Amino acid sequence: MAAASSLHATAAPVAAAAAGSRSVSAARSVRVAGSGAARAGGRMVARAATKADSPASAASSKSDGHEVLLFEALREALIEEMKVDPTVCVFGEDVGHYGGSYKVTKGLADMFGDLRVLDTPIAENSFTGMGVGAAMKGLRPVIEGMNMGFLLLAYNQISNNCGMLHYTSGGQFKIPVVIRGPGGVGRQLGAEHSQRLESYFQSIPGLQMVACSTPYNAKGLMKAAIRSENPVVLFEHVLLYNLKEKIPDEEYVLCLEEAEMVRPGEHVTILTYSRMRYHVMQAAKTLVNKGYDPEVIDIRSLKPFDLHTIGNSIKKTHRVLIVEECMRTGGIGASLRSAIIDNFWDYLDAPIMCLSSQDVPTPYAAPLEDATVVQPAQIVAAVEQICQ
Amino acid sequence: MAAAVLLRRIPAARAPAAAALIGARSISDSTAPLTIETSVPFTSHIVDPPSRDVTTTPAELLTFFRDMSVMRRMEIAADSLYKAKLIRGFCHLYDGQEAVAVGMEAAITRKDSIITAYRDHCTYLARGGDLVSAFAELMGRQAGCSRGKGGSMHFYKKDANFYGGHGIVGAQVPLGCGLAFAQKYRKEETATFALYGDGAANQGQLFEALNISALWKLPAILVCENNHYGMGTAEWRAAKSPAYYKRGDYVPGLKVDGMDVLAVKQACKFAKEHAIANGPIVLEMDTYRYHGHSMSDPGSTYRTRDEISGVRQERDPIERVRKLILGHDLATPAELKDMEKEIRKEVDDAIAKAKESSMPDTSELFTNVYVKGFGVESFGADRKELRATLP
């Protein structure tokens, strides 16, 4: 374990090569997980639907694996990467002593010291900028927005400096930051705390965006994002942190640009991500009972789209439904629809349908909030319409 | 401004001037120490200011003259190139402010970091950048320091720890504090100079970053290049308190005559030591730009021509060093004139060379968007016709 280093001590330098630092040539038992085709065998876990269904994508592994909640999976990923690479550090509000408002960074400050797990004041614009500056000089900060929506205050830093510096410097500087935090519509958190920033960030050139949805992919994507030389925005969801799943004991990293096959099918391609995946899978149960065979893909990579996996699916089913939590106008669905039309027009037998959240600020009242986002019944109706 | 009082502590060894002899005396390259007083004493905020007596050498003074003259020449040449439409877009010139870039460089090493805003051509040169790359970048050529993809506001030099080159006012200051953070993280014993203007001094993110830097004791030096105008707005119309060196509040500050290269050198040396030991410090460089804010701004609608020529008469940084050199007999006026002629030719040659270099290839449009290739072949919605694996 790397020695804890202090922000305020002037102690002896931290050992440059921490014990257990990896050498590139050493064979390691890291499995880069392939696409989900081998995994998903239509294992629909029947369970009383309380919040969301458990993901049916536990990887086959040599050992038994261990059960984690999604926020613990993110934490495992952070700890593993921070142990191996001394340049990884964490910036954010209350990430250190408090342990993180969603406990993703719980215990990290004790393990790694407050020079590597930094409690920032409430100053998103500047600490995001500082993370970018530190990255220019070779560190790998993981910048947390306590709620994704707060990162709007740092939009200039994320767009101009984070996304564009590699280009405007002619390739001289790379910005290997990870910007992460919970977003999406929660449980009556109000309009300002229910934002979906993927629609705002998607046009920023130079950024990569991924959305995790299961403990398995949360850990794999977090590790991949930290290791990536590009700036990656990792979208987590407020309501998914307590999902439980068994994940492998051995180390694994997922491919950032790859989509996940959740449920293979023949009749219609349903493209979704983050929390809506669970609404889709709930709708899928109903659809299966009605005799439909939907293919469900969790796109995971919001920028760039994995048009390879998506395209193969469309070539098979010829019908597309996009289910997203972004608002209708200018959302991920709008761009995805456009990309599909550009590339796979000839394969479509029906117009692409896109179910999105309403173009309204998220209301506080529970029935109104439910009406803002896409519900399983709407998904069922949409599939029935497409497959006519 | 009164001429600098010359205090010669140790006589410089030199051969007598003899104009009759051919090639009689060359420009002094002596490194014997020379102590010169700054134009005015330093004004400080919650810290003891450094001494007015600056140690330099004849060789260093001549380097100052040379470097500032190259910068001056480059900026004036850029003015002509812009009017000839070879440089497009925004072009912010630094003539008048050369002493800040040159004095700072003399006080620090290439291991220290510098970051500035868009008035960055001369800082690039000071950090070791070359004229051809600078002109090529201004003209958008492949041989430019950012491969033609950045332009005037985006000069960088990674191997010299020069971090640019930023277009959005004030946004470079948090970046600079991040650089300082990395220096502290790695225990490098170096400092970061984050430059900004009097206009940017009113940006909130500056105070945010200063707060964090003070809390975490980062080796960050915030340098306000106060040229008294934020584009067309004079400082007294933009800042309730134009004493920028005091606005760090709990952070110490120093006000420096930014037209006196020796004062700048002394202040930066002082600041670097302070920042590494104690955390952030603010430097306010009292300086002036002869050109308008950019080439689109004549610079005369919000200030009088008398003011501009007045500063040029009294405070020009190059003239100050020329007087010092001539006063100490380190070179003759003719030698300095020859040097200037040589510099003019150097700059003209660089422009000619840059003009010859080619425009970037169309494929360059897509390079450097991302660092590494992706795991799968991608067809993004924004790349309809080009189906290529991203580089």
Side-chain angles (χ1 to χ4, degrees), chain A residues 28 33 37 74 102 125 144 153 170 248 274 284 289 328 342 365 375:
Chain A
R28 300 167 66 210
L74 290 167
Y102 291 93
N125 196 358
E144 175 179 301
L153 288 155
S274 192
N289 289 338
R328 167 150 301 116
D342 280 350
Q375 299 295 343

Side-chain angles (χ1 to χ4, degrees), chain B residues 136-148:
Chain B
E137 185 61 34
L138 287 171
M139 295 194 271
R141 309 295 168 104
Q142 183 127 29
C145 50
S146 297
R147 297 160 72 135

Side-chain angles (χ1 to χ4, degrees), chain A residues 86 126 137 172 207 230 307, chain B residues 158 185-186 208 370-371 379:
Chain A
S126 55
K137 213 162 157 45
Q172 284 182 73
L207 277 191
N230 299 323
L307 291 178
Chain B
K158 182 173 184 191
Y185 192 94
R186 291 201 154 108
E208 290 180 21
Y370 296 102
V371 176
F379 311 79

Side-chain angles (χ1 to χ4, degrees), chain B residues 13-346:
Chain B
R14 53 180 171 80
L21 292 171
I22 296 167
R25 188 176 74 76
S26 59
I27 289 175
S28 175
D29 58 358
S30 161
T31 50
L34 202 53
T35 303
I36 296 176
E37 211 183 37
T38 62
S39 60
V40 288
F42 297 102
T43 325
S44 69
H45 170 69
I46 65 173
V47 71
D48 289 326
S51 154
R52 269 181 88 175
D53 296 324
V54 186
T55 314
T56 180
T57 70
E60 187 177 56
L61 282 175
L62 283 155
T63 314
F64 285 166
F65 182 84
R66 170 163 239 290
D67 290 346
M68 289 198 284
S69 300
V70 173
M71 291 174 180
R72 179 68 60 91
R73 202 58 242 142
M74 171 177 77
E75 297 295 72
I76 293 177
D79 177 304
S80 310
L81 288 173
Y82 192 89
K83 288 172 175 150
K85 292 204 192 312
L86 283 162
I87 300 176
R88 311 306 300 272
F90 292 131
C91 188
H92 307 84
L93 300 176
Y94 200 71
D95 51 316
Q97 300 184 212
E98 298 90 349
V100 178
V102 171
M104 182 180 292
E105 198 60 39
I108 64 177
T109 72
R110 289 280 158 79
K111 291 200 152 67
D112 297 298
S113 304
I114 297 183
I115 190 169
T116 184
Y118 44 77
R119 209 175 294 279
D120 57 351
H121 310 160
C122 300
T123 318
Y124 171 74
L125 282 191
R127 287 259 98 179
D130 67 289
L131 285 166
V132 178
S133 307
F135 282 117
E137 185 61 34
L138 287 171
M139 295 194 271
R141 309 295 168 104
Q142 183 127 29
C145 50
S146 297
R147 297 160 72 135
K149 301 206 284 197
S152 162
M153 299 187 282
H154 299 286
F155 281 29
Y156 308 86
K157 197 168 203 303
K158 182 173 184 191
D159 56 14
N161 281 308
F162 175 50
Y163 294 88
H166 296 274
I168 302 297
V169 168
Q172 75 278 11
V173 177
L175 290 187
C177 294
L179 297 173
F181 172 76
Q183 289 170 321
K184 177 163 182 148
Y185 192 94
R186 291 201 154 108
K187 301 181 166 41
E188 276 181 11
E189 299 291 303
T190 54
T192 297
F193 288 77
L195 281 72
Y196 60 98
D198 48 292
N202 302 314
Q203 272 271 313
Q205 54 189 319
L206 221 113
F207 296 95
E208 290 180 21
L210 199 54
N211 176 46
I212 298 179
S213 303
L215 274 172
W216 296 354
K217 273 185 73 171
L218 303 182
I221 299 147
L222 269 64
V223 182
C224 179
E225 290 186 284
N226 181 9
N227 58 25
H228 307 282
Y229 295 93
M231 201 161 82
T233 305
E235 59 179 330
W236 58 270
R237 294 177 64 227
K240 186 72 179 167
S241 162
Y244 301 104
Y245 71 106
K246 282 191 187 165
R247 284 172 56 165
D249 185 17
Y250 42 81
V251 169
L254 206 61
K255 184 166 172 167
V256 186
D257 178 3
M259 306 297 258
D260 177 356
V261 66
L262 292 168
V264 173
K265 175 186 163 185
Q266 185 89 318
C268 290
K269 183 158 172 287
F270 174 78
K272 175 176 169 176
E273 279 161 22
H274 186 280
I276 291 175
N278 304 319
I281 182 169
V282 178
L283 294 180
E284 179 186 338
M285 302 286 181
D286 185 349
T287 183
Y288 201 83
R289 53 165 165 81
Y290 297 138
H291 269 89
H293 165 73
S294 72
M295 288 303 297
S296 326
D297 166 32
S300 51
T301 56
Y302 48 86
R303 48 184 196 172
T304 61
R305 292 193 196 280
D306 283 342
E307 178 188 295
I308 305 170
S309 53
V311 175
R312 214 188 266 275
Q313 284 278 74
E314 306 277 303
R315 299 180 64 203
D316 185 273
I318 301 178
E319 291 315 303
R320 170 187 299 278
V321 175
R322 192 197 300 269
K323 281 200 199 99
L324 280 174
I325 291 173
L326 297 177
H328 283 257
D329 211 11
L330 307 176
T332 66
E335 282 163 340
L336 293 180
K337 270 264 151 10
D338 284 341
M339 193 190 280
E340 285 174 306
K341 271 204 212 107
E342 195 191 300
I343 287 169
R344 201 188 178 111
K345 180 164 191 310
E346 196 184 320

Side-chain angles (χ1 to χ4, degrees), chain A residues 82-132:
Chain A
M82 285 179 79
K83 276 187 184 164
V84 157
D85 185 348
T87 64
V88 180
C89 49
V90 179
F91 280 54
E93 294 156 9
D94 278 329
V95 295
H97 294 193
Y98 189 83
S101 56
Y102 291 93
K103 296 179 286 196
V104 173
T105 53
K106 184 155 179 245
L108 263 61
D110 290 332
M111 286 178 79
F112 297 107
D114 60 0
L115 188 57
R116 292 188 71 190
V117 182
L118 297 129
D119 279 327
T120 63
I122 304 173
E124 284 79 5
N125 196 358
S126 55
F127 73 70
T128 307
M130 284 177 72
V132 173

